[in-house]
Amino acid sequence: AQKITQTQPGMFVQEKEAVTLDCTYDTSDPSYGLFWYKQPSSGEMIFLIYQGSYDQQNATEGRYSLNFQKARKSANLVISASQLGDSAMYFCAMREDLTGTASKLTFGTGTRLQVTL
Amino acid sequence: DADVTQTPRNRITKTGKRIMLECSQTKGHDRMYWYRQDPGLGLRLIYYSFDVKDINKGEISDGYSVSRQAQAKFSLSLESAIPNQTALYFCATSDLREEQFFGPGTRLTVL
């Protein structure tokens, strides 16, 4: 079963507008972490933001914020005041705890964001 | 200097050839990972290692092997490359929070 679901293969947003990229997850673990990464056309993976399952407040990093709705198992990324340089692929990922202190990340299939003038 | 480096950055090889992708990191992390990325499929975990003596298979380990030569080095090998292993390969390291720091990627083409 897919553990991270990104239902938007592609999104368009006008420059200076806000955009929300959706992510839902599935886990029965009480302790988990959620991440968003950006992949520009050059290919590198850039960490954007992290939300822990026990964090009381939504994470924010500059123009990025994570709308964490635990009961709905969603962790949407909100980008405010979009810029042309935000055009990229965006991946949601979840940390899954294994045994002891071991854990790994599972990635969604990504959303391609295009910012237009 | 980059914290996570991968060599080579691009490689074209033929079916049946053995190939090794190398990864080095200067972040001092114990945890290292190899992923492959295919269009429309996101990143999938091939192998991961939590220390020099610990190697674990990920979701798509068939056809691959790894070696953790030191804390800072984690190599991925394709013993006999096949065309459907054409992909973008990423090495990553992580701290305990599992924020993963990625290398620049290796674009591998198997003809």
Side-chain angles (χ1 to χ4, degrees):
Chain A
Q2 198 167 4
K3 295 188 176 183
I4 292 283
T5 303
Q6 295 181 253
T7 58
Q8 306 154 313
M11 291 278 287
F12 286 90
V13 64
Q14 238 176 351
E15 196 180 20
K16 301 179 185 176
E17 297 293 312
V19 63
T20 298
L21 306 184
D22 294 341
C23 174
T24 58
Y25 61 92
D26 183 28
T27 182
S28 56
D29 293 333
S31 175
Y32 53 90
L34 297 156
F35 300 80
W36 278 92
Y37 285 86
K38 172 184 178 181
Q39 186 179 39
S41 58
S42 51
E44 70 268 31
M45 295 288 286
I46 302 167
F47 166 76
L48 295 178
I49 197 166
Y50 166 80
Q51 179 84 42
S53 59
Y54 293 120
D55 293 344
Q56 295 295 314
Q57 294 189 327
N58 288 344
T60 61
E61 293 282 353
R63 293 185 301 110
Y64 304 107
S65 61
L66 200 152
N67 184 1
F68 182 46
Q69 298 188 44
K70 198 169 182 177
R72 296 181 59 187
K73 294 188 176 180
S74 73
N76 298 339
L77 177 71
V78 180
I79 306 175
S80 63
S82 297
Q83 303 172 355
L84 294 177
D86 294 334
S87 294
M89 197 76 167
Y90 289 81
F91 291 96
C92 179
M94 179 174 67
R95 185 194 71 229
E96 297 183 78
D97 291 332
L98 302 171
T99 56
T101 59
S103 58
K104 66 181 182 75
L105 281 187
T106 299
F107 284 81
T109 54
T111 295
R112 184 169 298 281
L113 178 66
Q114 185 68 46
V115 181
T116 61
L117 292 170
Chain B
D1 287 344
D3 294 321
V4 184
T5 57
Q6 292 182 234
T7 56
R9 295 293 311 280
N10 289 282
R11 181 72 182 266
I12 301 173
T13 191
K14 294 182 179 180
T15 297
K17 293 291 187 182
R18 183 179 188 275
I19 184 167
M20 179 181 287
L21 309 183
E22 299 188 353
C23 176
S24 294
Q25 54 113 346
T26 59
K27 298 194 73 68
H29 291 160
D30 287 326
R31 302 175 181 207
M32 297 188 74
Y33 308 78
W34 276 104
Y35 293 90
R36 68 176 276 175
Q37 184 180 23
D38 299 277
L41 294 178
L43 277 75
R44 292 182 293 165
L45 185 62
I46 307 172
Y47 270 96
Y48 57 104
S49 169
F50 290 139
D51 64 42
V52 175
K53 298 178 182 177
D54 177 80
I55 302 289
N56 303 279
K57 291 183 177 181
E59 57 186 306
I60 54 163
S61 58
D62 288 347
Y64 301 95
S65 62
V66 291
S67 173
R68 185 81 185 265
Q69 302 95 322
Q71 186 205 36
K73 296 185 181 297
F74 192 36
S75 300
L76 176 72
S77 293
L78 289 67
E79 296 300 325
S80 180
I82 56 177
N84 76 2
Q85 291 177 312
T86 294
L88 182 58
Y89 289 85
F90 285 101
C91 173
T93 74
S94 75
D95 55 18
L96 287 177
R97 195 182 69 169
E98 289 298 334
E99 176 186 339
Q100 300 211 345
F101 299 86
F102 285 83
T106 295
R107 193 167 296 279
L108 176 66
T109 303
V110 183
L111 302 176

